[in-house]
Amino acid sequence: EILSSRREYTKASPFVVLLAKGNHEVTSSWTHPYGHVCQTTLGITRSNITFIGQGIGETTILGGFGIHNKQNITLKQMTVTNTDGFGIVMYGAEVELVDVASSNCSRTGINVRSAASTPSQLVATRCEISNNGGTGLYIFNSNNNIPFNVCLKNCISHHNSSAGIYVSGKVIVNVHGNATAIHSNKYQGIFADYSGKVLLHLPSHHNTIYNNTQQDRHTSMGGTITN
């Protein structure tokens, strides 16, 4: 906040936070738009910020990130683990994740939601979402008038306590990449609900969704999953 008051950062020239190897503990809490207090969660209060670690398993955030109505937030090369809540939770935010693992969180690994009239946007590349206490990737749009998109590239979601990916509301999720795998989740692999659409840009014979305890693909209330 202090540095942002001295200089204007932009999408082309963001504020960059370099994180060393090792554990980085979050001790603060963050209150999301509906009043719930998320413990051990760092609230991002400015747009145009990039956090860069030293790699998955090398740089570990002991806590989560909360992002509300901020744009151009990027996380790269790190593990996020929050034993007291969500890994990454965003409301009406634009976020990019590159080489990020969200694992062993007590709740959802990554939570993507709209905020009032503001949609969210997530692009995730080579990310792993695993061993979380809730859904791996939870995507929900409460505003039927403003759809939003999520793009996943070579991402893996496995061994989560609920679905690997849950999509609800007017959301389109585009899934790309031969390394994509949704497997070994306790409930569904992918659950598309209430008009949520998941487009798998992979051939039907690709081993994309497998070994989930209940169904690999489940749809309800107009949701669709299509290769």
Side-chain angles (χ1 to χ4, degrees):
E1 292 182 0
I2 294 170
L3 291 171
S4 294
S5 69
R6 297 175 181 173
R7 172 184 165 184
E8 181 180 357
Y9 294 94
T10 65
K11 184 173 183 177
S13 181
F15 178 53
V16 178
V17 180
L18 300 177
L19 299 169
K21 291 183 178 180
N23 296 334
H24 299 263
E25 184 178 3
V26 178
T27 59
S28 59
S29 63
W30 174 74
T31 303
H32 75 41
Y34 298 100
H36 177 72
V37 177
C38 301
Q39 301 298 329
T40 57
T41 300
L42 177 66
I44 305 301
T45 60
R46 294 289 187 272
S47 296
N48 304 312
I49 301 177
T50 297
F51 294 85
I52 304 177
Q54 302 300 308
I56 292 175
E58 298 292 333
T59 297
T60 300
I61 307 299
L62 301 179
F65 289 92
I67 310 162
H68 176 215
N69 279 346
K70 297 297 177 282
Q71 291 73 48
N72 191 33
I73 304 300
T74 303
L75 307 179
K76 295 182 176 181
Q77 300 169 17
M78 67 182 70
T79 296
V80 178
T81 181
N82 187 359
T83 56
D84 289 323
F86 300 102
I88 300 166
V89 56
M90 46 187 282
Y91 284 80
E94 294 180 8
V95 176
E96 182 177 9
L97 306 176
V98 181
D99 297 316
V100 171
S102 184
S103 61
N104 296 298
C105 300
S106 65
R107 302 187 70 179
T108 301
I110 301 175
N111 197 311
V112 185
R113 295 173 176 260
S114 58
S117 60
T118 307
S120 282
Q121 178 177 305
L122 172 66
V123 177
T125 303
R126 296 185 303 275
C127 293
E128 182 176 0
I129 311 162
S130 65
N131 297 289
N132 295 293
T135 301
L137 172 57
Y138 184 98
I139 307 166
F140 176 67
N141 186 4
S142 60
N143 190 333
N144 287 327
N145 296 319
I146 306 177
F148 67 77
N149 296 324
V150 170
C151 182
L152 308 176
K153 306 174 183 177
N154 289 313
C155 292
I156 303 171
S157 183
H158 65 92
H159 290 95
N160 297 289
S161 295
S162 188
I165 299 174
Y166 175 82
V167 182
S168 180
K170 286 198 173 180
V171 181
I172 298 175
V173 181
N174 288 283
V175 179
H176 301 265
N178 288 329
T180 299
I182 315 298
H183 70 89
S184 307
N185 296 286
K186 189 172 182 180
Y187 288 92
Q188 301 86 4
I190 297 179
F191 185 171
D193 201 9
Y194 286 102
S195 302
K197 295 183 178 180
V198 179
L199 304 178
L200 303 170
H201 299 272
L202 292 159
S204 58
H205 60 75
H206 181 270
N207 198 19
T208 308
I209 317 169
Y210 57 93
N211 289 346
N212 297 283
T213 302
Q214 292 193 4
Q215 297 166 298
D216 290 330
R217 303 182 183 214
H218 180 70
T219 60
S220 177
M221 302 294 290
T224 59
I225 303 169
T226 308
N227 285 77

